[in-house]
Amino acid sequence: EGGDYSVYDIQAYGADRSGSQATASSNFAGIQAALTALRVVGGGICYIPVGTYVIDDDLLYGSNLTFMGAGIGSVIQNKTTRTLPAPMLLEYENGLDNVTFRDFVLDQRSDVLGNDSNSMCLSIDGIDGVYIDNVVFRHIITMAVWCDSRGTVVTDNGRISNCKIEDSLAGGISVFG
């Protein structure tokens, strides 16, 4: 319900597209600030311009959100010294709805960080109406997409399409419950 559906550009919140490991904390803070602002207004678009945005913590998202990049040039990447577990995008709370992820790359960095059984990349647990389109999952530690049905089973109004998994240590897409 609600939402002004404005575009919240992560660079306007301080995210740096240079791919520098040194900017991981400020990138996390900037992207999380955009996601939090969208949660406060009831939803909208979190836009990831072309660039590589290194993060050092789990990003939390809410309902009525479109997390959208400009294609394979828009990369969210874990910091290479991040402590495991190292998930990337998690639900802010149970019972979310109307969430779309599209047109970007999530690079979890299993090539450097190694393996861990609790490091799903993108969690979509309990979301009613989740769409994942044209997302590349790179260097996955555990699962690219994960749903363990803490709440509502993701069966209504959902789709995963045109995605690619490049190098995974443990698996690809796990939606069950």
Side-chain angles (χ1 to χ4, degrees), residues 82-93:
R82 187 161 174 202
T83 302
L84 294 174
M88 297 188 77
L89 283 161
L90 302 173
E91 314 81 357
Y92 172 71
E93 61 189 355

Side-chain angles (χ1 to χ4, degrees), residues 51-123:
T52 298
Y53 303 89
V54 179
I55 61 170
D56 63 356
D57 206 347
D58 315 341
L59 295 167
L60 304 177
Y61 63 88
S63 289
N64 302 312
L65 169 75
T66 297
F67 198 76
M68 179 177 74
I72 61 170
S74 298
V75 180
I76 305 289
Q77 182 181 78
N78 266 336
K79 186 174 182 178
T80 58
T81 57
R82 187 161 174 202
T83 302
L84 294 174
M88 297 188 77
L89 283 161
L90 302 173
E91 314 81 357
Y92 172 71
E93 61 189 355
N94 282 337
L96 299 184
D97 52 15
N98 191 28
V99 180
T100 299
F101 302 95
R102 59 178 289 186
D103 303 321
F104 63 94
V105 175
L106 284 173
D107 186 348
Q108 204 173 15
R109 296 307 309 259
S110 67
D111 58 325
V112 177
L113 297 175
N115 202 349
D116 177 83
S117 62
N118 295 311
S119 291
M120 76 285 283
C121 186
L122 168 60
S123 178

Side-chain angles (χ1 to χ4, degrees), residues 125-126 147-154 176-177:
D125 241 357
C147 176
D148 192 10
S149 306
R150 290 182 303 212
T152 307
V153 178
V154 181
F176 62 92

